[in-house]
């Protein structure tokens, strides 16, 4: 089985875990990891929307290789997979057991969480590329300066430690950063868990849809690969992913839309909280609902419709790039 992946340290760690689980299930299986340098990896400066969104930046080239038969499967971080568009001919064959979905704070030497809280962030520059994280950081530390900060997890930490500035898409530089907000799971995957100064609870920063879940995509008609992937699929992760991604689908959220969503399975139920972040009016539209675990997409749909009833469509439309209208 040939599995395609990005070349980053994190992506290779995730794909190696897929290979480990597959060979544990079938020791006779020969797994080959095929590395891709995607558009989003080549351009560490540009805004993701200008690169075709996360789908265009990180997913499209690997998906094409699966469709063309050059790969049997593709590894994706589920949060990088667009939720507002169909993927003709492809399906998610497996979702691995979810890693921590929460975000974490990483600080440069001499900065502490207590400093940020005491000053409400005044005088500090906090780096992130995500609209969602930026909105929550502004709520937590309202006087901080949010700066555009991109790159692989290990690259971002190196820039933070060395006091390097971040080049901007339109030219110029920002920074250096005093702190970064990053995915906890990503930091753990690249061996940087010791750099976590604070793990934000979902109440502090609601996670991105699918955050912490590794997805394996394959051709919808490749029954052999589907059977193999079924052996490593985690039903709890799949249930949560279905509920969360249905919110994206109904809201037609583009890449980096100000949308957050997080589901947890509790017995026979799923608890889903989703939010649309209206930074222009300093308003968070939030909905929490519970539903049967046997019908996660219906729950996601109900939550999305309630968000729409509260004005979410206008917020998403305002943040959509002109070319996407």
């Amino acid at each position: 089985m040939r599995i395609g992946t990005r070349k980053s340290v994190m992506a290779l760690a995730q794909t190696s875990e897929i290979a480990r689980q597959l060979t544990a299930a079938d020791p006779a299986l020969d797994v080959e990891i095929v590395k891709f340098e995607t558009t989003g990896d080549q351009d560490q400066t540009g805004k993701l929307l200008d690169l075709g969104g996360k789908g265009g930046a990180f997913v499209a080239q690997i998906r094409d290789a699966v469709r063309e038969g050059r790969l049997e499967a593709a590894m994706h971080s589920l949060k990088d997979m667009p939720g507002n568009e169909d993927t003709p001919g492809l399906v998610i064959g497996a979702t691995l057991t979810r890693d921590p979905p929460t975000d974490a704070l990483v600080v440069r030497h001499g900065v502490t969480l207590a400093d940020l809280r005491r000053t409400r962030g005044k005088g500090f520059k906090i780096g992130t590329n995500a609209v969602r994280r930026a909105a929550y950081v502004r709520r937590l530390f309202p006087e901080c300066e949010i700066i555009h900060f991109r790159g692989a997890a290990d690259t971002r930490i190196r820039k933070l430690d060395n006091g390097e500035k971040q080049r901007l898409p339109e030219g110029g530089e920002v920074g250096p950063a005093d702190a970064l907000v990053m995915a906890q799971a990503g930091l753990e995957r690249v061996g940087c868990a010791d750099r976590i100064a604070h793990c934000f609870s979902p109440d502090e920063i609601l996670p991105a849809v699918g955050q912490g879940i590794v997805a394996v995509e394959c051709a919808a008609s490749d029954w052999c690969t589907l059977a193999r992937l079924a052996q490593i699929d985690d039903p709890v992760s799949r249930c949560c992913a279905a509920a969360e991604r249905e919110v994206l689908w109904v809201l037609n959220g583009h890449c980096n839309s100000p949308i957050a969503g997080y589901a947890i399975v509790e017995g026979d139920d799923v608890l889903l909280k989703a939010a649309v972040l209206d930074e222009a009016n300093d308003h968070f539209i939030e909905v929490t609902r519970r539903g049967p675990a046997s019908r996660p997409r219906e729950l996601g749909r109900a939550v999305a419709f309630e968000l729409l009833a509260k004005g979410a469509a206008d917020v998403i439309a305002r943040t959509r790039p002109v070319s996407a209208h």
Side-chain angles (χ1 to χ4, degrees):
M1 184 188 293
R2 293 162 297 183
I3 305 177
T5 178
R6 296 164 61 194
K7 295 171 68 174
S8 71
V9 173
M10 189 187 308
L12 290 172
Q14 292 169 322
T15 312
S16 295
E17 176 59 19
I18 294 168
R20 186 194 69 76
Q21 293 191 27
L22 285 168
T23 52
D26 181 1
L29 182 64
D30 181 21
V31 178
E32 178 187 354
I33 296 175
V34 182
K35 303 172 189 175
F36 285 72
E37 187 166 36
T38 65
T39 306
D41 296 312
Q42 293 166 0
D43 184 344
Q44 295 280 313
T45 303
K47 292 183 178 178
L48 291 177
L49 285 172
D50 298 332
L51 300 175
K54 288 185 178 179
F58 299 132
V59 175
Q61 291 155 282
I62 305 176
R63 278 178 164 170
D64 288 343
V66 177
R67 288 193 185 97
E68 294 162 8
R70 292 183 283 128
L71 300 171
E72 278 69 55
M75 187 290 298
H76 304 297
S77 291
L78 188 62
K79 70 180 180 64
D80 291 338
M81 297 180 71
N84 63 325
E85 58 190 49
D86 282 319
T87 53
L90 300 179
V91 294
I92 295 175
T95 51
L96 302 194
T97 300
R98 192 173 209 165
D99 290 321
T102 44
D103 289 302
L105 180 73
V106 178
V107 295
R108 66 167 172 79
H109 181 69
V111 176
T112 67
L113 174 64
D115 294 334
L116 293 170
R117 285 176 168 163
R118 185 185 67 254
T119 62
R120 293 163 52 87
K122 187 172 184 178
F124 292 98
K125 295 180 173 69
I126 302 179
T128 179
N129 178 55
V131 174
R132 173 189 60 87
R133 287 179 182 142
Y136 279 106
V137 168
R138 284 193 183 94
R139 187 160 76 168
L140 292 168
F141 312 114
E143 296 187 48
C144 76
E145 179 183 347
I146 306 289
I147 60 174
H148 170 78
F149 221 80
R150 271 202 57 210
D154 48 325
T155 302
R156 276 179 276 171
I157 291 175
R158 187 203 71 223
K159 289 179 183 177
L160 175 73
D161 290 344
N162 294 343
E164 296 178 32
K165 293 193 174 185
Q166 168 74 47
R167 286 187 297 130
L168 294 174
E170 58 274 12
E173 297 178 320
V174 290
D178 298 297
L180 305 174
V181 178
M182 306 170 67
Q184 179 185 343
L187 289 163
E188 293 176 354
R189 285 174 189 142
V190 299
C192 293
D194 61 323
R195 294 302 308 272
I196 296 174
H198 176 68
C199 289
F200 295 103
S201 70
D203 289 331
E204 291 175 305
I205 300 182
L206 193 64
V209 166
Q211 186 159 307
I213 298 178
V214 173
V216 193
E217 199 171 39
C218 69
S221 59
D222 185 352
W223 302 110
C224 179
T225 298
L226 281 166
R228 285 173 170 152
L229 293 178
Q231 297 179 89
I232 66 169
D233 184 56
D234 181 79
V236 173
S237 286
R238 182 169 286 273
C239 177
C240 292
E244 294 169 21
R245 284 174 66 77
E246 189 70 12
V247 175
L248 279 188
W249 175 262
V250 174
L251 294 181
N252 191 26
H254 56 83
C255 162
N256 229 16
S257 280
I259 299 171
Y262 177 47
I264 54 174
V265 175
E266 298 178 335
D268 294 331
D269 290 344
V270 181
L271 183 67
L272 173 62
K273 180 177 181 179
V276 174
L277 319 173
D278 184 359
E279 284 196 90
N281 298 306
D282 192 26
H283 176 53
F284 286 58
I285 305 171
E286 297 175 326
V287 172
T288 303
R289 281 198 180 208
R290 182 181 298 272
S294 58
R295 301 175 67 187
R297 290 184 63 188
E298 286 84 344
L299 174 62
R301 203 168 306 140
V303 166
F305 282 132
E306 190 171 341
L307 286 167
L308 289 171
K310 292 183 174 184
D314 290 340
V315 177
I316 295 168
R318 285 202 304 271
T319 62
R320 191 177 301 279
V322 175
S323 60
H325 278 289

